[in-house]
Amino acid sequence: MAERRYIDAINLAHHEEFARDDRVVVLGEDVGRKGGVFGATAGLLEKYGEERVIDAPLAESSIAGVAIGMAANGLLPIAEFQFADFIHPAFNQIVSEAARMRYRSNNAFGCPVVFRTPYGGSHGTALYHSQSIEAFYAHVPGIKVVAPATPYDAKGLLKSAVRDPDPVLFLEHKRMYRIVKGEVPDDDYTVPIGPAAVRREGKDLSVFAYGWMLHEALQAAETLAGEGIDAEVVDVRTLAPLDTTTILHSVAKTNRALIVYEDNRFCGYGAEIAALIAEEAFYDLDAPVIRLGGPDVPGIPFSKPLEEWFFIDRHKIADAIRRLAAL
Amino acid sequence: MSAMEAKPRVSARHAQLGLSDRDVLEMYYYIALARALDERMWVLQRAGKAMFVISGPGHEGCQVAAMWPMDKAQDWFVPFYRSIAACLVKGMTPTDILLGLFARAADPSSGGRQMPGHYGHPRVKILSTSSPVGTQYPHAVGIAYAARVRRTGEVTMVAIGDGGTSQGDVHEAMNWAGLYRLPVIFVVENNAYAISVPLHKQVAGGSIAARAAGYGFPGVVADGSDVLECYRVARDAYERAKRGEGPMLLEFQVPRLGSHSSDDQQERYRTKDEIEADRARDPLRVFGAYLESVGLLTDTVRQEIAARVRREIDQATEAAERAPLPEPASAARYVFFEGR
């Protein structure tokens, strides 16, 4: 088994799915000759040609809309958006068209499209290259939203997404691309869309996170272990549909819950997990549910001290864990 | 129908276009059928039996003509809410349309989930559509792209009104299709109004068809009341697509014989003279006059067609009204795939 970077796992999944099924195509800005701005589609053009690896015009709504039409006529498109921030012009196509196609046609037409995009803040990417967009889409029935945090999951979940008969928004926190490494088998394996994963067993409290926040949360948990606080860390992994069973089971075990997410705190994705726990696990709780979300400013600012102020890191998470443990 | 069996008259315009007498009478039948169906829907709405109607009186001639060269089984159609006549030619039945009007479970477009006028039918390859206008243009491009990858030889036609051409999606789709020279026919049914907003407040530059040049393919204008001219340009577009030469934009200038929908009264923003002038351009009347002039639409034939249309629409109304409504709990189904 080879150790691979997160981005290489994504690239490998593309290559394997292209080889497995000639209905798979990729379309997006710079996905062809350049191989994608981060290299996710590198090598596909050389192997599979321009017909299946499509350098699309710079127009996000049509990237989504054309993919929907391709899917209606028998292809399995992967539509890449360079940054999650640029997906907003395609919001209507994804939400009103892709997510509703099966429902509105009473099951006559499906929409097996994968919408892939890097999201989240990394150093120096600022407003318009750092947004977290998951809450907008997870809100809408008819589209699945996944945010894998490990190279193993990235490959396995992307392959599941390509084979899924419904639209999937596939979110890759871009800070992971080159930093996060892990074992990725060369086998044709998939990771099912749906189940969450307990990444660290613990008994004192539960931390729920996804994407890059998972790695920060795991680091914080290790720090706290030295202080005698034993945190369980759950990788939510699939945001829609949400694995409520694993979440509630963890809360029943630890009786305390912290939700960490990089998106703006207000109406962010963490609110859904908090509401779930309040509704379904109120009597298991020894303390109020805590949300640690991004500050409610319109974006991550560019200048280093401003950026550091925004970022949620292991130190902020550790502080939140201490606060929760003391309640 | 005896007259439909007659041999083509080589001197007539339709014969010069390669259309038989039988073809043109069948085209007239579809125009009359769509018109009568349209009128029936409004009657049902006014009688309180249907909630909402959105239809296309005046648009039928160009729709029938544009759909005529298409292969009804093989090719794709991506409609808009005025595409009744086109959907009928493509293979939907009056019962299919009225099942949608009554929101019945058997409505092939959406099982009663969408408002009337949101056509879709997998068996005859009509893609499901939504309400925001213009969104279906990129879908048609994607279908055409897939047809090329899969080597199916399918041609895709997509229709919209003049107001819809203001949408960015329409521009983006035509840019794609031009870049990849895809087998797609873009139809714009220009009735000069986007609800109440007239063309001059909607379309800069004065011409919709002229925009095609910017995308690298031809755009043509045809009088939407001249069914044979509409057929001629549509056939050219179809043959061009089949030859692999890429897309074409067809702007059909049609009369607007009705209001935008049953929730609208065009008399509030259009003058009586203007509405009257449109009536003179009614394609049913204009095409009927042509068929009379070449001796095809005799009183007997007209009566035969009228009787056939009435009978089919009466039967469709009865069947659709009698059809069961959806089960309430079925509203939870098909958010996602439920298995084969």
Side-chain angles (χ1 to χ4, degrees):
Chain A
M1 210 190 290
E3 182 166 89
R4 289 188 163 93
R5 300 180 304 175
Y6 188 93
I7 186 67
D8 298 328
I10 300 275
N11 182 247
L12 182 60
H14 277 91
H15 277 273
E16 289 183 8
E17 290 305 288
F18 263 71
R20 183 187 62 82
D21 191 332
D22 61 12
R23 294 175 300 165
V24 179
V25 298
V26 67
L27 64 158
E29 294 151 17
D30 299 305
V31 299
R33 217 164 147 194
K34 185 170 165 60
V37 281
F38 292 101
T41 57
L44 290 174
L45 180 73
E46 293 77 2
K47 237 192 260 182
Y48 299 102
E50 287 188 347
E51 201 166 80
R52 289 178 66 193
V53 184
I54 306 151
D55 270 329
L58 199 165
E60 284 79 9
S61 186
S62 66
I63 291 172
V66 170
I68 291 166
M70 288 172 166
N73 199 13
L75 298 184
L76 299 176
I78 304 170
E80 178 180 293
F81 299 90
Q82 285 193 335
F83 291 92
D85 314 64
F86 306 155
I87 207 170
H88 300 312
F91 186 79
N92 184 58
Q93 283 289 350
I94 296 171
V95 163
S96 294
E97 306 293 325
R100 291 178 161 93
M101 181 67 82
R102 186 179 299 283
Y103 190 78
R104 80 183 190 209
S105 68
N106 201 25
N107 202 37
F109 293 98
C111 187
V113 179
V114 183
F115 302 102
R116 270 193 52 244
T117 190
Y119 78 103
S122 59
H123 297 91
T125 51
L127 274 85
Y128 306 113
H129 292 79
S130 299
Q131 290 177 40
S132 295
I133 60 164
E134 59 272 26
F136 297 123
Y137 296 90
H139 177 69
V140 178
I143 183 162
K144 299 174 184 178
V145 181
V146 298
T150 69
Y152 182 92
D153 277 5
K155 178 181 158 186
L157 276 165
L158 183 52
K159 286 161 76 81
S160 290
V162 170
R163 300 174 197 188
D164 198 286
D166 291 305
V168 179
L169 177 63
F170 195 87
L171 298 171
E172 302 155 17
H173 196 297
K174 67 179 179 298
R175 201 190 283 198
M176 295 191 292
Y177 277 147
R178 289 175 173 80
I179 296 176
V180 175
K181 293 175 184 153
E183 296 295 327
V184 179
D186 288 325
D187 311 351
D188 177 25
Y189 72 92
T190 58
V191 173
I193 294 172
V198 178
R199 299 294 185 191
R200 186 185 192 283
E201 295 273 356
K203 59 179 176 21
D204 294 334
L205 52 89
S206 300
V207 181
F208 300 102
Y210 51 90
W212 177 250
M213 289 297 100
L214 175 79
H215 299 284
E216 296 284 357
L218 285 168
Q219 293 275 349
E222 287 312 311
T223 304
L224 272 294
E227 298 175 18
I229 299 172
D230 185 17
E232 177 150 301
V233 180
V234 178
D235 179 1
V236 178
R237 198 159 62 166
T238 295
L239 310 185
L242 178 64
D243 179 358
T244 56
T245 307
T246 299
I247 291 169
L248 295 173
H249 187 262
S250 182
V251 172
K253 180 174 145 190
T254 66
N255 313 114
R256 287 166 199 264
L258 167 68
I259 305 145
V260 183
Y261 57 108
E262 190 179 290
D263 194 6
N264 304 121
R265 186 171 184 275
F266 184 79
C267 278
Y269 187 77
E272 185 58 38
I273 298 178
L276 168 79
I277 295 168
E279 280 187 342
E280 303 287 333
F282 182 74
Y283 295 107
D284 289 330
L285 291 174
D286 288 343
V289 177
I290 292 183
R291 283 178 292 156
L292 178 60
D296 289 320
V297 294
I300 302 180
F302 181 61
S303 181
K304 197 166 174 55
L306 304 179
E307 186 186 59
E308 289 302 328
W309 173 84
F310 185 100
F311 277 155
I312 294 174
D313 59 12
R314 57 207 67 178
H315 307 297
K316 287 183 186 170
I317 298 172
D319 286 346
I321 292 175
R322 287 188 196 101
R323 195 151 43 95
L324 178 60
L327 285 170
Chain B
M1 206 171 294
S2 55
M4 286 192 180
E5 307 301 328
K7 288 201 163 56
R9 285 142 234 261
V10 281
S11 58
R13 271 181 76 205
H14 67 273
Q16 288 166 7
L17 289 167
L19 290 167
S20 69
D21 289 355
R22 187 191 175 85
D23 282 332
V24 285
L25 281 173
E26 197 67 10
M27 290 167 88
Y28 178 82
Y29 152 76
Y30 274 110
I31 295 167
L33 178 70
R35 176 63 56 82
L37 185 55
D38 198 307
E39 287 168 352
R40 175 63 55 90
M41 293 198 296
W42 282 76
V43 168
L44 291 166
Q45 196 271 340
R46 294 295 187 244
K49 292 187 173 186
M51 294 278 288
F52 177 76
V53 177
I54 190 153
S55 59
H59 293 237
E60 303 95 336
C62 72
Q63 290 183 15
V64 170
M67 190 57 73
W68 211 254
M70 303 273 284
D71 184 315
K72 313 302 176 290
Q74 196 205 14
D75 294 324
W76 280 87
F77 180 51
V78 186
F80 80 128
Y81 49 80
R82 303 208 191 280
S83 298
I84 300 174
C87 286
L88 289 171
V89 178
K90 190 77 173 71
M92 288 182 80
T93 65
T95 307
D96 290 339
I97 305 269
L98 292 176
L99 284 166
L101 184 79
F102 290 128
R104 297 305 202 245
D107 156 36
S109 297
S110 77
R113 290 174 173 204
Q114 292 221 70
M115 290 174 83
H118 294 68
Y119 303 111
H121 200 311
R123 188 174 50 75
V124 297
K125 293 165 88 167
I126 298 173
L127 184 69
S128 160
T129 46
S130 67
S131 301
V133 295
T135 55
Q136 76 275 38
Y137 257 48
H139 302 171
V141 170
I143 289 172
Y145 194 95
R148 171 172 299 168
V149 174
R150 297 177 54 222
R151 317 272 185 263
T152 61
E154 298 157 315
V155 173
T156 303
M157 180 181 286
V158 58
I160 201 176
D162 45 296
T165 64
S166 300
Q167 290 279 11
D169 270 358
V170 170
H171 158 73
E172 293 184 23
M174 292 201 283
N175 190 43
W176 258 88
L179 283 166
Y180 289 97
R181 295 167 68 92
L182 294 172
V184 57
I185 301 168
F186 297 112
V187 168
V188 177
E189 294 171 27
N190 176 4
N191 68 16
Y193 278 91
I195 306 189
S196 68
V197 180
L199 195 70
H200 70 270
K201 289 189 175 174
Q202 191 76 233
V203 172
S207 166
I208 293 166
R211 294 176 176 181
Y215 305 112
F217 54 83
V220 296
V221 184
D223 176 355
S225 298
D226 185 341
V227 173
L228 294 175
E229 180 61 7
C230 293
Y231 169 77
R232 188 185 67 77
V233 299
R235 190 191 60 182
D236 286 354
Y238 187 75
E239 288 171 356
R240 180 185 152 81
K242 274 289 191 192
R243 288 194 302 268
E245 291 173 16
M248 210 161 146
L249 171 60
L250 311 180
E251 177 186 347
F252 297 124
Q253 294 180 340
V254 297
R256 198 212 214 206
L257 302 180
S259 293
H260 171 73
S261 72
S262 53
D263 288 342
D264 178 44
Q265 288 173 285
Q266 66 172 346
E267 294 76 11
R268 287 187 177 180
Y269 50 81
R270 297 185 78 194
T271 65
K272 217 177 224 175
D273 288 351
E274 195 183 309
I275 292 171
E276 277 307 311
D278 264 2
R279 288 215 174 101
R281 295 178 58 220
D282 181 343
L284 184 65
R285 191 185 300 186
V286 174
F287 193 44
Y290 166 78
L291 294 175
E292 273 176 35
S293 75
V294 293
L296 285 175
L297 196 65
T298 61
D299 284 349
T300 314
V301 174
R302 192 192 286 276
Q303 282 162 17
E304 279 173 15
I305 292 174
R308 178 181 166 194
V309 162
R310 197 167 47 245
R311 187 175 62 248
E312 288 175 2
I313 286 178
D314 285 348
Q315 286 169 355
T317 307
E318 205 191 319
E321 211 174 350
R322 230 183 17 232
L325 286 160
E327 288 295 324
S330 71
R333 299 202 65 187
Y334 306 127
V335 178
F336 292 110
F337 180 68
E338 296 181 11
R340 286 187 180 85

